Amino acid sequence: MVTGTIPVLQTVGLTKIFRDFWWRARVEAVKDLDLEIHRGEVFGLLGPNGSGKSTAIKMILGLLYATKGRIAVFGRPPTDVQTKKRIGFLPEETYLYRFLDARETLDYYGRLFDQHGRVRRDRIDRLLEMVGLQHEAKRRIGEYSKGMARRIGLAQALINDPEFLILDEPTAGMDPIGTRQIKDVIRELARMGKTILLSSHLLADVEDVCDRVTILYGGRQRKAGDISQLLTRENLTQLTTEKLSENTIEQVRDLIHRLEGKELLNVTAPCDKLEDLFLRIVREAQASNIETSGARASGELPSFLGTSKDEDEGGVVIESLVEAGRRSPVVPETVEPALPPQANGGPSKAVLQQLTSKPEASPAEPSPAESAPQERRAPADVDRSVIERLVKDPDEGPSTSSGSGSGSKEGGRGE
Amino acid sequence: MSKLWAVSRHTIAAGIRMKVALFFVFLIALSVLGLPLVLEGDGSLAGAIQSYLTYVLVLIGLLLSLQTILLSWTLSEELVQRQILILMAKPVARWQYIVGKWLGIVLLDLALLTGAGLGVYGMTRYMAALPERIEGDHLKIGSEVLVARHVSQVHVPDFTAEAVRVFERRREEGYYADRPGVNAAEEKKKLRKAIETDWRIVPPFAGRLFTFRNLLCERAPDKFLQLRFNITVYNPPINDVVSCVWRFGDGREGSVEYPPIRRRYVKERIHTVQVPSDAVGPDGMLTVRFENIDPFGENLNSMPVFHFEEPKTLEILFTVGTFGGNLVRTLALLFCRLLFLASVAVLAASVFSFPIACISTMVFYGLIALRGFILDAFEYMNEPGIIGGFFTGIGWVLTQVYRFVPDWQKTNALELFADGRNVTLLWVFLGFGKLGLASLVLVGLTCLLFERREVSEVSV
């Protein structure tokens, strides 16, 4: 069993060099990557296509072998089978079996965790509900849209209630509703104390959910740190008030000039995010019961998630914990104020409470509330320009690095 | 074990859902039900059944071999389509994945083989109940086709001492005086062979005593053994019909000596004579005397010479088991081959992509299935010159390769089975022992290779 002091993931000098048929080194996909992710963190691996994100993840999972360096997942080598009981993985594309339906797919992966039949069936039902595909469970994956397949991909990654979730481009191919749902799920999982490694080149995704990020370019680590520190522009101050008249604005401008000797740089009316507008329209359509063949509104996070984080084995133990989790909704009545309404039918108050209340917390481990980040940034008040400058696609502007070109092509496809 | 079973189950589902197995189910059903409509045999019902059993089992073996090779696609497909990335991120050891795949293919083969076996059994029983095409068809089917008969070949005396004696006499007489470099051992071997050939030839108005040993049959006057023979006839009569006399038993203690049996036979065909089982002595030995006399006085002016050329031209058979049991053992030997082929296919699929894996396994399958033919062909092409040397070289390489590959033909029981001969349980055990062991070695090798493989393939 892992103690609280051991990082969930640690890489030291991780390097991957791809060789050609003649064994000549051709691409340095990852170079000297040092990562340390601790329990409860949501860690972002950020970078443009070909920056080495997926290669790094595959090494972390033991799917590729490091040319140099060391990897420890829960203090064990990445190929250790027992460690993988604690990991959930969603690859950059949803590589599922086209001839299986959603239920069969999840059943197959559940069996690989030695899950007891009843527990497995129960989890499958809840996960299908969570990803909004309970009505499409009998359709073959081959008939699914990319977004629907992505949802099943997420469900399979959660089938074992993982302690460490690795998500490679989780919102790729998803519509804004799905993207929002995925982000909500990530937030809730983080609140439950899960450790999440999120790889993406979509800045908004990372910014919305991550605590810390590492930015890769050309396989090398360019910048790393707490996301709020990275994004805060210390030399600027932003005030937000209700709408002001021109006269008041002029007076404020004068006051600032008089007291601080500085200029008021920008005065605008804040806009709604397009995402919010879109979600509002879709919510109205759903309220009118307009038919769609795609995924329904996402349901609640399954109650089994987070119940087995202190034990490795499935089967009876998990079952007992699931049972314990089912009893937990009794608690919230005395606790929470009303949560803000979810834009998309995401986790409700009662479910969230159910999810975040652990039946039994191990004394050796911090509770999810303690280990999870205490505060998440509001996305609107940060400056993205730092990240954008760093991850700017080399084809769109002057190169910032003399690294090994555009990186590796894995299986004929970049990241 | 549950993970192994999960992977196996998934492989079976892939085979069925992707219609590979269904396609072969259709072809096997077509073979089992359709072949009787197109096979004639020798015109008799017994012959038709024998032809059916031979061809249908060859076809089933071929189809299931192809299915085995094609099902390995599920492994290479998972590598190419990258489902392996999710799979290997789960707590499944790589050996569990490989063994699970192999097991899935093998279990699907077993299921189809079982179904095919039941179909063949039912169809054969149906054919056996059809009206006779020639007289005695049903009797022959019951006693020579739908049975499992033990076979005992004629005991050939050791002629080594006589060969040595002849060699020494010839040397003393100066026979080898003009051949100083003669190889004594080789010469003795040739002499022994010549003496044995003489022994197998029965000249006119002569007789030959043959013995059969270790006949562990029930000895009773109403029980019969079958003497099966095929004589080569020199100086045959115009109508190709020859006559002779058989005598069974020698009157030793416990062995009944029967009066001579006079018979006419068409030359160079397989004939069967019923032998009372109490002619066999308590020691399991049966004495059979063959006499080249003309009991009917039809060819006295030009008597033929009889030659029992090879061991299989004179043998005793008696029933030791049922057709059903024999069919099961024959199919078990067929299954041994599929086990081995599945391990080869899985190895190929874990190294190569789908088409290359299938082609390489098919080439291997062809090489082992046609082992005898290929080696003979290269031996035949062994001529002086560059081209001859080239073929000799290839033949030598193949011979070396074959040393490490189990002999496929040693598990081929189809010919014996169709002939109503017993496929022994020992044979099945040996088949499983050799091919099963070879399969495990190959699967182990595949696991080792796969363990080192980066499953997220990279093309740079």
Side-chain angles (χ1 to χ4, degrees), chain B residues 362-414:
Chain B
M362 279 182 189
V363 168
F364 183 81
Y365 174 64
L367 284 174
I368 55 176
L370 302 173
R371 178 186 190 136
F373 171 78
I374 289 170
L375 288 179
D376 286 350
F378 277 106
E379 200 171 325
Y380 181 74
M381 288 188 281
N382 183 10
E383 291 172 355
I386 295 175
I387 296 175
F390 173 72
F391 285 121
T392 306
I394 294 178
W396 182 86
V397 170
L398 280 174
T399 308
Q400 302 311 311
V401 170
Y402 280 135
R403 289 174 62 188
F404 297 98
V405 180
D407 191 345
W408 197 257
Q409 285 307 317
K410 286 185 178 170
T411 54
N412 184 4
L414 300 187

Short mmCIF file of all heavy atoms in Angstrom, two decimals, chain B residues 362-414:
data_model
loop_
_atom_site.label_atom_id
_atom_site.label_comp_id
_atom_site.label_asym_id
_atom_site.label_seq_id
_atom_site.Cartn_x
_atom_site.Cartn_y
_atom_site.Cartn_z
N MET B 362 0.25 -19.32 -43.11
CA MET B 362 -0.21 -20.23 -44.17
C MET B 362 0.97 -20.93 -44.84
O MET B 362 0.89 -22.12 -45.16
CB MET B 362 -1.02 -19.45 -45.20
CG MET B 362 -2.45 -19.22 -44.78
SD MET B 362 -3.37 -18.35 -46.03
CE MET B 362 -4.87 -18.00 -45.17
N VAL B 363 2.04 -20.19 -45.06
CA VAL B 363 3.23 -20.81 -45.66
C VAL B 363 3.76 -21.89 -44.73
O VAL B 363 4.08 -23.01 -45.16
CB VAL B 363 4.32 -19.73 -45.92
CG1 VAL B 363 5.65 -20.37 -46.26
CG2 VAL B 363 3.88 -18.80 -47.04
N PHE B 364 3.81 -21.58 -43.45
CA PHE B 364 4.27 -22.57 -42.48
C PHE B 364 3.35 -23.80 -42.49
O PHE B 364 3.81 -24.93 -42.46
CB PHE B 364 4.30 -21.93 -41.09
CG PHE B 364 4.83 -22.84 -40.03
CD1 PHE B 364 6.19 -23.01 -39.86
CD2 PHE B 364 3.96 -23.55 -39.20
CE1 PHE B 364 6.67 -23.87 -38.89
CE2 PHE B 364 4.43 -24.40 -38.23
CZ PHE B 364 5.80 -24.56 -38.06
N TYR B 365 2.06 -23.52 -42.55
CA TYR B 365 1.08 -24.61 -42.58
C TYR B 365 1.31 -25.50 -43.80
O TYR B 365 1.32 -26.73 -43.71
CB TYR B 365 -0.33 -24.00 -42.61
CG TYR B 365 -1.46 -24.98 -42.78
CD1 TYR B 365 -1.71 -25.94 -41.81
CD2 TYR B 365 -2.27 -24.95 -43.89
CE1 TYR B 365 -2.75 -26.84 -41.96
CE2 TYR B 365 -3.32 -25.84 -44.05
CZ TYR B 365 -3.55 -26.78 -43.08
OH TYR B 365 -4.57 -27.67 -43.23
N GLY B 366 1.53 -24.85 -44.94
CA GLY B 366 1.80 -25.61 -46.16
C GLY B 366 3.07 -26.44 -46.02
O GLY B 366 3.11 -27.61 -46.42
N LEU B 367 4.09 -25.85 -45.41
CA LEU B 367 5.36 -26.56 -45.27
C LEU B 367 5.24 -27.79 -44.39
O LEU B 367 5.82 -28.84 -44.68
CB LEU B 367 6.43 -25.62 -44.69
CG LEU B 367 7.01 -24.58 -45.65
CD1 LEU B 367 7.94 -23.64 -44.91
CD2 LEU B 367 7.77 -25.26 -46.78
N ILE B 368 4.47 -27.68 -43.30
CA ILE B 368 4.37 -28.84 -42.41
C ILE B 368 3.36 -29.86 -42.93
O ILE B 368 3.52 -31.05 -42.74
CB ILE B 368 4.05 -28.44 -40.95
CG1 ILE B 368 2.79 -27.59 -40.87
CG2 ILE B 368 5.21 -27.76 -40.31
CD1 ILE B 368 2.40 -27.26 -39.44
N ALA B 369 2.32 -29.38 -43.61
CA ALA B 369 1.31 -30.31 -44.12
C ALA B 369 1.86 -31.12 -45.30
O ALA B 369 1.49 -32.27 -45.50
CB ALA B 369 0.06 -29.56 -44.53
N LEU B 370 2.76 -30.50 -46.07
CA LEU B 370 3.30 -31.17 -47.26
C LEU B 370 4.76 -31.58 -47.05
O LEU B 370 5.54 -31.65 -48.00
CB LEU B 370 3.18 -30.23 -48.47
CG LEU B 370 1.77 -29.74 -48.80
CD1 LEU B 370 1.80 -28.70 -49.90
CD2 LEU B 370 0.88 -30.91 -49.23
N ARG B 371 5.10 -31.84 -45.82
CA ARG B 371 6.48 -32.15 -45.47
C ARG B 371 7.08 -33.25 -46.35
O ARG B 371 8.13 -33.07 -46.99
CB ARG B 371 6.52 -32.56 -44.01
CG ARG B 371 7.87 -32.96 -43.49
CD ARG B 371 7.72 -33.50 -42.07
NE ARG B 371 8.99 -33.69 -41.41
CZ ARG B 371 9.24 -33.33 -40.17
NH1 ARG B 371 8.33 -32.75 -39.45
NH2 ARG B 371 10.42 -33.56 -39.64
N GLY B 372 6.41 -34.39 -46.39
CA GLY B 372 6.92 -35.54 -47.14
C GLY B 372 7.06 -35.21 -48.61
O GLY B 372 8.11 -35.49 -49.23
N PHE B 373 6.06 -34.59 -49.17
CA PHE B 373 6.07 -34.25 -50.59
C PHE B 373 7.21 -33.29 -50.91
O PHE B 373 7.94 -33.46 -51.89
CB PHE B 373 4.72 -33.62 -50.96
CG PHE B 373 4.68 -33.04 -52.34
CD1 PHE B 373 4.53 -33.86 -53.45
CD2 PHE B 373 4.82 -31.68 -52.53
CE1 PHE B 373 4.52 -33.32 -54.73
CE2 PHE B 373 4.81 -31.13 -53.80
CZ PHE B 373 4.65 -31.95 -54.90
N ILE B 374 7.38 -32.29 -50.05
CA ILE B 374 8.41 -31.27 -50.31
C ILE B 374 9.81 -31.88 -50.24
O ILE B 374 10.65 -31.66 -51.12
CB ILE B 374 8.26 -30.12 -49.29
CG1 ILE B 374 6.99 -29.32 -49.62
CG2 ILE B 374 9.47 -29.20 -49.32
CD1 ILE B 374 6.60 -28.31 -48.58
N LEU B 375 10.05 -32.72 -49.22
CA LEU B 375 11.37 -33.32 -49.08
C LEU B 375 11.65 -34.25 -50.26
O LEU B 375 12.76 -34.27 -50.81
CB LEU B 375 11.48 -34.06 -47.75
CG LEU B 375 11.57 -33.16 -46.51
CD1 LEU B 375 11.64 -33.99 -45.24
CD2 LEU B 375 12.78 -32.23 -46.60
N ASP B 376 10.64 -35.01 -50.67
CA ASP B 376 10.80 -35.89 -51.82
C ASP B 376 11.10 -35.09 -53.07
O ASP B 376 11.94 -35.47 -53.89
CB ASP B 376 9.53 -36.72 -52.04
CG ASP B 376 9.41 -37.83 -51.00
OD1 ASP B 376 10.39 -38.04 -50.27
OD2 ASP B 376 8.33 -38.45 -50.92
N ALA B 377 10.39 -33.97 -53.22
CA ALA B 377 10.56 -33.14 -54.42
C ALA B 377 11.99 -32.60 -54.49
O ALA B 377 12.61 -32.64 -55.55
CB ALA B 377 9.56 -31.99 -54.40
N PHE B 378 12.49 -32.14 -53.35
CA PHE B 378 13.86 -31.60 -53.38
C PHE B 378 14.89 -32.70 -53.60
O PHE B 378 15.92 -32.47 -54.22
CB PHE B 378 14.14 -30.82 -52.09
CG PHE B 378 13.61 -29.42 -52.14
CD1 PHE B 378 12.48 -29.06 -51.42
CD2 PHE B 378 14.21 -28.46 -52.93
CE1 PHE B 378 11.97 -27.77 -51.48
CE2 PHE B 378 13.71 -27.17 -53.00
CZ PHE B 378 12.59 -26.83 -52.28
N GLU B 379 14.58 -33.87 -53.10
CA GLU B 379 15.49 -34.99 -53.33
C GLU B 379 15.50 -35.35 -54.82
O GLU B 379 16.53 -35.66 -55.40
CB GLU B 379 15.03 -36.19 -52.50
CG GLU B 379 16.13 -37.21 -52.29
CD GLU B 379 15.72 -38.27 -51.29
OE1 GLU B 379 15.00 -37.93 -50.34
OE2 GLU B 379 16.10 -39.42 -51.48
N TYR B 380 14.33 -35.26 -55.41
CA TYR B 380 14.19 -35.59 -56.83
C TYR B 380 14.97 -34.58 -57.69
O TYR B 380 15.50 -34.92 -58.73
CB TYR B 380 12.70 -35.55 -57.19
CG TYR B 380 12.40 -35.88 -58.62
CD1 TYR B 380 12.49 -37.20 -59.09
CD2 TYR B 380 12.04 -34.89 -59.52
CE1 TYR B 380 12.23 -37.49 -60.42
CE2 TYR B 380 11.76 -35.17 -60.84
CZ TYR B 380 11.85 -36.48 -61.28
OH TYR B 380 11.58 -36.77 -62.58
N MET B 381 15.00 -33.34 -57.22
CA MET B 381 15.67 -32.29 -58.00
C MET B 381 17.17 -32.24 -57.71
O MET B 381 17.86 -31.31 -58.14
CB MET B 381 15.04 -30.94 -57.69
CG MET B 381 13.65 -30.81 -58.29
SD MET B 381 12.97 -29.17 -58.13
CE MET B 381 12.42 -29.19 -56.45
N ASN B 382 17.66 -33.21 -56.96
CA ASN B 382 19.07 -33.25 -56.60
C ASN B 382 19.91 -33.71 -57.79
O ASN B 382 20.22 -34.87 -57.93
CB ASN B 382 19.23 -34.20 -55.41
CG ASN B 382 20.65 -34.24 -54.91
OD1 ASN B 382 21.48 -33.43 -55.32
ND2 ASN B 382 20.92 -35.19 -54.03
N GLU B 383 20.26 -32.76 -58.65
CA GLU B 383 21.04 -33.08 -59.85
C GLU B 383 22.32 -32.25 -59.84
O GLU B 383 22.39 -31.21 -59.19
CB GLU B 383 20.22 -32.75 -61.09
CG GLU B 383 19.04 -33.67 -61.27
CD GLU B 383 18.14 -33.21 -62.41
OE1 GLU B 383 18.39 -32.13 -62.98
OE2 GLU B 383 17.19 -33.96 -62.73
N PRO B 384 23.33 -32.70 -60.60
CA PRO B 384 24.56 -31.91 -60.67
C PRO B 384 24.30 -30.55 -61.33
O PRO B 384 23.35 -30.40 -62.08
CB PRO B 384 25.49 -32.76 -61.53
CG PRO B 384 24.84 -34.08 -61.69
CD PRO B 384 23.40 -33.94 -61.39
N GLY B 385 25.15 -29.63 -61.05
CA GLY B 385 25.01 -28.31 -61.66
C GLY B 385 24.53 -27.27 -60.67
O GLY B 385 24.22 -27.59 -59.52
N ILE B 386 24.48 -26.04 -61.15
CA ILE B 386 24.16 -24.91 -60.27
C ILE B 386 22.71 -25.02 -59.77
O ILE B 386 22.44 -24.88 -58.57
CB ILE B 386 24.36 -23.58 -61.01
CG1 ILE B 386 25.84 -23.42 -61.33
CG2 ILE B 386 23.87 -22.41 -60.16
CD1 ILE B 386 26.16 -22.21 -62.17
N ILE B 387 21.80 -25.28 -60.69
CA ILE B 387 20.38 -25.33 -60.30
C ILE B 387 20.14 -26.50 -59.35
O ILE B 387 19.47 -26.36 -58.31
CB ILE B 387 19.48 -25.44 -61.55
CG1 ILE B 387 19.65 -24.17 -62.38
CG2 ILE B 387 18.03 -25.66 -61.16
CD1 ILE B 387 18.92 -24.18 -63.69
N GLY B 388 20.75 -27.63 -59.68
CA GLY B 388 20.62 -28.80 -58.81
C GLY B 388 21.19 -28.51 -57.43
O GLY B 388 20.60 -28.85 -56.40
N GLY B 389 22.34 -27.80 -57.40
CA GLY B 389 22.97 -27.45 -56.13
C GLY B 389 22.09 -26.50 -55.33
O GLY B 389 21.99 -26.60 -54.10
N PHE B 390 21.44 -25.59 -56.05
CA PHE B 390 20.55 -24.64 -55.39
C PHE B 390 19.40 -25.38 -54.68
O PHE B 390 19.11 -25.15 -53.51
CB PHE B 390 20.00 -23.68 -56.46
CG PHE B 390 18.94 -22.75 -55.94
CD1 PHE B 390 19.26 -21.71 -55.09
CD2 PHE B 390 17.61 -22.93 -56.30
CE1 PHE B 390 18.27 -20.86 -54.62
CE2 PHE B 390 16.62 -22.09 -55.83
CZ PHE B 390 16.97 -21.04 -54.98
N PHE B 391 18.79 -26.30 -55.44
CA PHE B 391 17.69 -27.05 -54.84
C PHE B 391 18.17 -27.96 -53.72
O PHE B 391 17.49 -28.15 -52.72
CB PHE B 391 16.96 -27.87 -55.91
CG PHE B 391 16.08 -27.02 -56.79
CD1 PHE B 391 16.27 -26.96 -58.16
CD2 PHE B 391 15.07 -26.25 -56.24
CE1 PHE B 391 15.47 -26.16 -58.96
CE2 PHE B 391 14.26 -25.45 -57.03
CZ PHE B 391 14.46 -25.40 -58.39
N THR B 392 19.37 -28.50 -53.90
CA THR B 392 19.94 -29.33 -52.83
C THR B 392 20.11 -28.51 -51.56
O THR B 392 19.82 -28.96 -50.45
CB THR B 392 21.30 -29.91 -53.27
OG1 THR B 392 21.11 -30.59 -54.51
CG2 THR B 392 21.84 -30.88 -52.23
N GLY B 393 20.59 -27.27 -51.76
CA GLY B 393 20.79 -26.37 -50.62
C GLY B 393 19.47 -26.08 -49.91
O GLY B 393 19.38 -26.16 -48.67
N ILE B 394 18.45 -25.77 -50.69
CA ILE B 394 17.15 -25.49 -50.08
C ILE B 394 16.62 -26.73 -49.36
O ILE B 394 16.10 -26.65 -48.24
CB ILE B 394 16.13 -25.03 -51.15
CG1 ILE B 394 16.57 -23.68 -51.71
CG2 ILE B 394 14.73 -24.91 -50.56
CD1 ILE B 394 15.68 -23.16 -52.81
N GLY B 395 16.79 -27.86 -50.02
CA GLY B 395 16.35 -29.12 -49.41
C GLY B 395 17.05 -29.36 -48.08
O GLY B 395 16.42 -29.78 -47.10
N TRP B 396 18.34 -29.04 -48.05
CA TRP B 396 19.11 -29.25 -46.81
C TRP B 396 18.59 -28.32 -45.70
O TRP B 396 18.39 -28.73 -44.56
CB TRP B 396 20.59 -28.98 -47.07
CG TRP B 396 21.44 -29.23 -45.85
CD1 TRP B 396 21.97 -30.41 -45.44
CD2 TRP B 396 21.82 -28.25 -44.87
NE1 TRP B 396 22.67 -30.25 -44.27
CE2 TRP B 396 22.60 -28.93 -43.90
CE3 TRP B 396 21.60 -26.89 -44.73
CZ2 TRP B 396 23.14 -28.28 -42.80
CZ3 TRP B 396 22.14 -26.24 -43.62
CH2 TRP B 396 22.91 -26.93 -42.67
N VAL B 397 18.36 -27.06 -46.08
CA VAL B 397 17.85 -26.09 -45.10
C VAL B 397 16.50 -26.56 -44.55
O VAL B 397 16.25 -26.56 -43.33
CB VAL B 397 17.72 -24.68 -45.73
CG1 VAL B 397 16.96 -23.73 -44.80
CG2 VAL B 397 19.09 -24.12 -46.05
N LEU B 398 15.62 -26.97 -45.46
CA LEU B 398 14.29 -27.43 -45.02
C LEU B 398 14.40 -28.65 -44.11
O LEU B 398 13.68 -28.75 -43.11
CB LEU B 398 13.44 -27.77 -46.24
CG LEU B 398 12.80 -26.58 -46.95
CD1 LEU B 398 12.11 -27.02 -48.23
CD2 LEU B 398 11.80 -25.88 -46.03
N THR B 399 15.32 -29.54 -44.46
CA THR B 399 15.50 -30.73 -43.61
C THR B 399 15.89 -30.32 -42.20
O THR B 399 15.40 -30.88 -41.21
CB THR B 399 16.58 -31.64 -44.21
OG1 THR B 399 16.26 -31.88 -45.58
CG2 THR B 399 16.66 -32.97 -43.48
N GLN B 400 16.78 -29.33 -42.11
CA GLN B 400 17.21 -28.87 -40.78
C GLN B 400 16.04 -28.22 -40.04
O GLN B 400 15.87 -28.42 -38.84
CB GLN B 400 18.37 -27.88 -40.90
CG GLN B 400 19.60 -28.41 -41.62
CD GLN B 400 20.03 -29.77 -41.09
OE1 GLN B 400 20.17 -29.99 -39.89
NE2 GLN B 400 20.21 -30.73 -42.00
N VAL B 401 15.25 -27.43 -40.78
CA VAL B 401 14.09 -26.78 -40.15
C VAL B 401 13.11 -27.83 -39.66
O VAL B 401 12.59 -27.76 -38.53
CB VAL B 401 13.40 -25.82 -41.15
CG1 VAL B 401 12.07 -25.31 -40.59
CG2 VAL B 401 14.32 -24.64 -41.46
N TYR B 402 12.87 -28.82 -40.48
CA TYR B 402 11.91 -29.86 -40.12
C TYR B 402 12.33 -30.64 -38.87
O TYR B 402 11.50 -31.23 -38.19
CB TYR B 402 11.72 -30.84 -41.28
CG TYR B 402 10.78 -30.32 -42.36
CD1 TYR B 402 11.12 -30.44 -43.70
CD2 TYR B 402 9.57 -29.73 -42.04
CE1 TYR B 402 10.28 -29.97 -44.70
CE2 TYR B 402 8.72 -29.26 -43.02
CZ TYR B 402 9.08 -29.38 -44.35
OH TYR B 402 8.23 -28.92 -45.32
N ARG B 403 13.62 -30.63 -38.59
CA ARG B 403 14.08 -31.35 -37.38
C ARG B 403 13.48 -30.73 -36.12
O ARG B 403 13.33 -31.39 -35.11
CB ARG B 403 15.61 -31.31 -37.30
CG ARG B 403 16.27 -32.19 -38.34
CD ARG B 403 17.76 -32.00 -38.33
NE ARG B 403 18.35 -32.39 -37.05
CZ ARG B 403 19.61 -32.18 -36.72
NH1 ARG B 403 20.41 -31.59 -37.57
NH2 ARG B 403 20.07 -32.56 -35.56
N PHE B 404 13.15 -29.44 -36.20
CA PHE B 404 12.63 -28.75 -35.02
C PHE B 404 11.11 -28.62 -35.03
O PHE B 404 10.53 -28.03 -34.13
CB PHE B 404 13.26 -27.35 -34.92
CG PHE B 404 14.74 -27.39 -34.73
CD1 PHE B 404 15.59 -27.22 -35.81
CD2 PHE B 404 15.29 -27.63 -33.48
CE1 PHE B 404 16.97 -27.27 -35.65
CE2 PHE B 404 16.67 -27.68 -33.31
CZ PHE B 404 17.51 -27.50 -34.40
N VAL B 405 10.50 -29.15 -36.04
CA VAL B 405 9.04 -29.03 -36.17
C VAL B 405 8.42 -30.41 -36.03
O VAL B 405 8.89 -31.36 -36.67
CB VAL B 405 8.66 -28.43 -37.55
CG1 VAL B 405 7.16 -28.30 -37.68
CG2 VAL B 405 9.33 -27.08 -37.74
N PRO B 406 7.41 -30.54 -35.19
CA PRO B 406 6.77 -31.85 -35.05
C PRO B 406 6.24 -32.35 -36.39
O PRO B 406 5.78 -31.55 -37.21
CB PRO B 406 5.61 -31.58 -34.09
CG PRO B 406 5.92 -30.31 -33.42
CD PRO B 406 6.77 -29.51 -34.36
N ASP B 407 6.38 -33.67 -36.58
CA ASP B 407 5.92 -34.24 -37.85
C ASP B 407 4.40 -34.29 -37.87
O ASP B 407 3.77 -35.07 -37.17
CB ASP B 407 6.51 -35.66 -38.02
CG ASP B 407 6.28 -36.17 -39.44
OD1 ASP B 407 5.46 -35.57 -40.16
OD2 ASP B 407 6.93 -37.16 -39.81
N TRP B 408 3.84 -33.45 -38.68
CA TRP B 408 2.39 -33.29 -38.80
C TRP B 408 1.72 -34.61 -39.17
O TRP B 408 0.64 -34.94 -38.69
CB TRP B 408 2.17 -32.24 -39.89
CG TRP B 408 0.86 -31.59 -40.00
CD1 TRP B 408 -0.09 -31.85 -40.91
CD2 TRP B 408 0.35 -30.53 -39.20
NE1 TRP B 408 -1.16 -31.03 -40.72
CE2 TRP B 408 -0.91 -30.20 -39.68
CE3 TRP B 408 0.85 -29.82 -38.10
CZ2 TRP B 408 -1.70 -29.20 -39.13
CZ3 TRP B 408 0.07 -28.84 -37.55
CH2 TRP B 408 -1.19 -28.54 -38.06
N GLN B 409 2.38 -35.35 -40.06
CA GLN B 409 1.77 -36.57 -40.59
C GLN B 409 1.57 -37.63 -39.50
O GLN B 409 0.74 -38.51 -39.63
CB GLN B 409 2.61 -37.16 -41.72
CG GLN B 409 2.50 -36.39 -43.03
CD GLN B 409 1.05 -36.22 -43.47
OE1 GLN B 409 0.25 -37.13 -43.40
NE2 GLN B 409 0.70 -35.01 -43.89
N LYS B 410 2.36 -37.53 -38.46
CA LYS B 410 2.24 -38.54 -37.40
C LYS B 410 0.95 -38.39 -36.61
O LYS B 410 0.65 -39.22 -35.75
CB LYS B 410 3.45 -38.46 -36.47
CG LYS B 410 4.69 -39.03 -37.13
CD LYS B 410 5.87 -39.07 -36.19
CE LYS B 410 7.06 -39.71 -36.90
NZ LYS B 410 8.29 -39.57 -36.14
N THR B 411 0.23 -37.31 -36.85
CA THR B 411 -1.07 -37.17 -36.19
C THR B 411 -2.20 -37.29 -37.20
O THR B 411 -3.33 -36.90 -36.91
CB THR B 411 -1.17 -35.81 -35.47
OG1 THR B 411 -0.89 -34.78 -36.42
CG2 THR B 411 -0.22 -35.71 -34.31
N ASN B 412 -1.88 -37.82 -38.37
CA ASN B 412 -2.91 -37.96 -39.41
C ASN B 412 -3.54 -39.34 -39.32
O ASN B 412 -2.97 -40.34 -39.74
CB ASN B 412 -2.29 -37.74 -40.79
CG ASN B 412 -3.35 -37.79 -41.87
OD1 ASN B 412 -4.53 -37.91 -41.58
ND2 ASN B 412 -2.93 -37.71 -43.12
N ALA B 413 -4.72 -39.39 -38.77
CA ALA B 413 -5.38 -40.69 -38.57
C ALA B 413 -6.53 -40.90 -39.56
O ALA B 413 -7.24 -41.89 -39.47
CB ALA B 413 -5.92 -40.76 -37.15
N LEU B 414 -6.68 -39.98 -40.49
CA LEU B 414 -7.88 -40.01 -41.34
C LEU B 414 -7.98 -41.28 -42.18
O LEU B 414 -9.05 -41.89 -42.29
CB LEU B 414 -7.91 -38.78 -42.26
CG LEU B 414 -7.93 -37.42 -41.55
CD1 LEU B 414 -8.12 -36.30 -42.54
CD2 LEU B 414 -9.02 -37.40 -40.50
#
